């Protein structure tokens, strides 16, 4: 066990609600020979909730989530339910803020705190995609310019090989049914369904003037995809400033064809260790 | 009360002039079930002053206020007066630096410390706009390019839906009366009045080669508007680098038409928790 | 004396070579009613040396000085000499690293440590400009693109009103006398003299593919000018990305005509408080 | 010995596996009159391994290495072997993670942990270039746009004078032998050899949509070259945004012709002191 792992252990113990009580369990984990160990939590839903909290802090720390985005995870025990934080800044989310929500977008508990108005992004994607176990909605400033300028986001860096050749763009004006009530936010089932339809079988859908929604088979995969969508957008933006003619990845270079699989756990550990100790 | 709230409590106690003496009061506040609680201060003017100090540090911490900008708040008790810091860097402002100023732009106390030369931005806007309870003047590097290049700032992200379809630009050359004395700074009532006229009923006015002035019904609203004006400018700038043809929000998408109101308290809490502990 | 001043005091005491021994003196200073107090050091040259150290750390902290730039100050007692750090990274400079140098560019002490090869920038400017008491050489990444692209740096923000309508650019190819020995660095008196000639009576000269040299009547003024040259370059760069037609300050708007003088001490205090505690 | 050196000493002692046990040795080193002292480690391979760890942290801290890049060093004792970290985020590398690898790209120890799939970048360059003692592979976001846009990276800043007039670009599509198995990663000897061939006698080769590989006669030289390739890419990118016609260094201005040699140790010390204490 390295000095680093030890320092990290103490930091984590101080940070986690469990406090010093969780020391023995945590020590066991950190002593594992591999960084990619799974959570210490035996309940699969608690493990997913722990990852929601870590993902929220990671994405806030990397400047991808602002005061409004949200990370959710489908329940492992009840696939017709999912977990997401109440309406609050993602950087501040802790265990007590997590709410269990049905696919009808209503909280399971009658006395649940106020939920995000845009929870319909999550419900409708979980309904449409049984393969999806995590949904992330961001206002990522790196991807917004693509939707506003009507330029396709394309995979240009190797690690964004999970993206399709063109990432779909959701134009909420096409989905809004009434001129009178239309706006920018996905605040009802009709709009959520239209967004899920635009997402289709893809991992990411851009939202014009708003951000994106990213999905994955786990919170960690969705988180790492969110980060590499961000990095890819920065790279494509800078490349287009140099020349209008760029070379994106082609069909054969996409991750789906890779002989060596993309390791989602490595970036997860990397971004986790970048979290400031006090937050 | 989460571990985070507790850490924050201790940090705040160490930071505030009241020190450990204010612990019990503060504890009560942090134990409140909702992050959006109002200030612990019962005097409404002291609450506004506390928000001036927090807003100054938040906007400096986010890189929007430099060494010269200023945040002010109208007095709740005497609407013909307002509070603003003496001439000093906003990041360093504390309670003792706040000066009460009349709408004639003179300090109320005869022995007041030196005020900012540009306080006329504040006096004249408070005179012209009875709905305004807070004024913020920044040298925001994200908005300056728009004035220098003569390009209209437009709302392109959902959270900047408080902006009008085109944000007015103040060209001080048009307001300066004499070739001999003209300059870039708003250092008299005539120039302040011209700026207030250009602002009109809008929430923001850009100042060419200088920055902007942002107003709100509270310090928190003005602060959050200042931040989203900054974010929107970055997004529009990046979108225009991709294509000269962009899609801003249209009339129906502006906040004034939103069915779900923009929650100013959530970003306030988010940016507040980002303040470094030692500052 | 605010909590902030107190925290700063302790930080400074821990940081300074004098340590706790200097506490009483320092306390007196921080208790002064105004942030703009002059140094605690009574020897004028020691005060200038202290400012060289602070300026080096400030400019490294703001990302303007990299591993190679340098800050110097003319001696107050012997105007034919100046002080500059030995060859080392500016962020690490302390009192023991400061060397006294003659205008012939030779160290006064026979056993002086190795000096920067580019000290000729300093000697030749001090020789040519008796009004200059501080010279700063940077590799500022914000100004380099202007020289490389052959685009004039112009004042576009109010606080850069000390700049002339066009900042001169030094092309070292024109000054190098021999094809055989020519290079990018100002490493002899001939090149230093050519640079000083290009600077002329201006506050700043750009160096193609290299950076700039900034001068002032004090270390603080030269430091603040270096920072606002940096900020102005960023603003002009971003404005030119929006439109090739920009509006710089005009003759009447330059600082030389301002009725309210630019306050160099306020940014100095602001950037000083941004220094991390441990550095 | 300055206060800074002392603080650094304590930091290092706390950080290093050797802990307080190494104090006396370390003290001797830091008391040396010059920052450029060599390592405290007498074993030359241990000294190189220590530099791999420091370089990994420096390049992660400067935002150049992400979760996947790697730094390696040839063995001083057995030039047919080299050292590199196992498959893990570079920011977290410590002594226990370093693996000894043969030029056949197989670990020397039979029970070695999993290696990076792209270790062939290193093996093949060490085979082809006996002068190379360190190889660094990055996903540097500053250089990626050049490959994606097909624009040549050229030396535009003085400190990047080690670059050739045009840095070669590796297009993996040209090297992949089969349409069926081709991808973006250098995961076999054939692709590594093709990359080494494109590198030729140069210090840097760009990899389209991927990053670069940088070599040096030491870990420190390769690290400083990696950083100045990054800085140069930023400068060239910004210059090209101002004008399509830029002035790069010419033949005579390259480092190979410099009368004053580039000092690799100064930036190494500078970037080392920027490492956060806790990492």
């Amino acid at each position: 066990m390295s000095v680093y792992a030890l320092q990290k252990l103490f930091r984590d113990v101080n940070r986690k609600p469990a406090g010093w009580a969780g020391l023995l369990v945590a020590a066991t984990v950190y002593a594992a020979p591999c960084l990619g160990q799974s959570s210490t939590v035996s309940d699969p839903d608690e493990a997913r909730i722990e990852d929601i909290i870590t993902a929220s802090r990671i994405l806030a720390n990397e400047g991808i989530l602002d005061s409004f985005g949200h990370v959710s995870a489908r329940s492992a025990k009840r696939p017709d339910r999912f977990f997401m934080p109440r309406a609050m800044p993602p950087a501040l989310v802790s265990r007590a803020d997590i709410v269990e929500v049905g696919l009808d977008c209503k909280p399971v508990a009658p006395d649940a705190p106020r939920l995000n108005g845009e929870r319909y992004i999550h419900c409708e994607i979980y309904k449409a995609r049984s393969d999806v176990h995590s949904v992330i909605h961001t206002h990522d400033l790196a991807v917004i310019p693509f939707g506003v300028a009507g330029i396709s986001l394309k995979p240009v860096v190797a690690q964004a090989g999970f993206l399709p050749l063109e990432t779909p763009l959701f134009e909420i004006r096409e989905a809004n049914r009434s001129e009178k009530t239309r706006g920018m936010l996905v605040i009802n089932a009709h709009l959520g369904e239209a967004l899920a339809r635009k997402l289709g079988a893809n991992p990411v859908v851009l939202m014009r003037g708003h951000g994106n929604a990213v999905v994955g088979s786990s919170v960690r995969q969705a988180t790492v995809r969110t980060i590499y969508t961000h990095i890819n957008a920065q790279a494509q933006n800078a490349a287009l400033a140099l020349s209008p003619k760029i070379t994106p990845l082609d069909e054969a270079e996409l991750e789906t064809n890779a002989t060596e699989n993309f390791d989602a756990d490595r970036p997860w550990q990397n971004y986790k260790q970048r979290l400031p100790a006090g937050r």
Side-chain angles (χ1 to χ4, degrees), chain A:
Chain A
M1 189 173 193
S2 74
V3 170
Y4 278 89
L6 198 66
Q7 289 176 338
K8 225 164 132 14
L9 170 63
F10 277 72
R11 249 196 279 140
D12 283 0
V13 167
N14 283 321
R15 217 174 344 172
K16 278 180 200 154
W20 284 95
L23 181 60
L24 284 181
V25 181
T28 315
V29 173
Y30 280 103
C34 165
L35 279 166
Q37 74 281 2
S38 50
S39 171
T40 59
V41 182
S42 60
D43 181 301
D45 278 350
E46 283 304 320
R48 291 181 180 204
I49 286 167
E50 195 179 86
D51 278 1
I52 289 175
I53 297 165
T54 304
S56 300
R57 291 183 196 162
I58 283 175
L59 294 172
N61 189 47
E62 298 299 325
I64 296 174
L65 282 186
D66 65 349
S67 311
F68 293 100
H70 10 92
V71 178
S72 73
R74 194 191 285 272
S75 167
K77 299 177 196 161
R78 296 269 320 242
D80 58 332
R81 294 183 179 170
F82 66 95
F83 302 97
M84 78 181 292
R86 65 181 178 86
M88 67 178 297
L92 291 166
V93 170
S94 63
R95 179 63 188 88
D97 302 308
I98 304 296
V99 182
E100 190 168 5
V101 186
L103 292 191
D104 59 356
C105 252
K106 288 189 186 127
V108 171
D111 60 342
R114 185 162 81 87
L115 282 170
N116 286 285
E118 294 205 297
R119 62 192 176 279
Y120 297 91
I121 295 169
H122 302 258
C123 318
E124 297 303 324
I125 290 176
Y126 286 124
K127 268 198 230 167
R129 293 269 302 267
S130 61
D131 62 313
V132 166
H133 286 258
S134 178
V135 176
I136 298 177
H137 169 53
T138 85
H139 297 167
D140 184 356
L141 257 177
V143 305
I144 286 176
F146 288 86
V148 172
I151 299 292
S152 287
L153 184 77
K154 300 180 180 200
V156 297
V157 303
Q159 286 72 34
F162 59 86
L163 289 174
L165 293 180
E166 296 209 2
T167 297
L169 170 67
F170 178 64
E171 171 51 88
I172 198 165
R173 284 182 201 168
E174 293 168 8
N176 270 303
R177 274 185 294 207
S178 146
E179 182 65 24
K180 218 174 61 193
T181 62
R182 75 183 175 84
M184 291 296 287
L185 304 183
V186 178
I187 49 170
N188 59 48
H190 168 70
L191 292 170
E193 203 188 336
L195 178 71
R197 207 160 38 237
K198 182 59 86 177
L199 170 67
N202 294 294
V204 184
V205 59
L206 304 190
M207 302 160 78
R208 192 262 308 159
H210 192 158
N212 63 8
V214 183
V215 303
S217 58
S218 69
V219 172
R220 295 183 185 202
Q221 192 193 49
T223 302
V224 173
R225 284 176 169 179
T226 300
I227 293 172
Y228 276 102
T229 300
H230 175 80
I231 288 173
N232 188 83
Q234 291 179 307
Q236 185 182 350
N237 197 314
L240 286 169
L242 288 174
S243 164
K245 196 166 161 291
I246 61 170
T247 305
L249 306 200
D250 66 14
E251 190 79 44
E253 288 163 349
L254 296 186
E255 194 185 89
T256 39
N257 303 298
T259 46
E260 171 115 333
N261 277 328
F262 185 74
D263 176 4
D265 201 60
R266 215 191 305 183
W268 174 267
Q269 295 300 338
N270 186 42
Y271 291 109
K272 195 176 166 189
Q273 59 91 20
R274 287 162 57 95
L275 290 173
R279 287 200 185 139

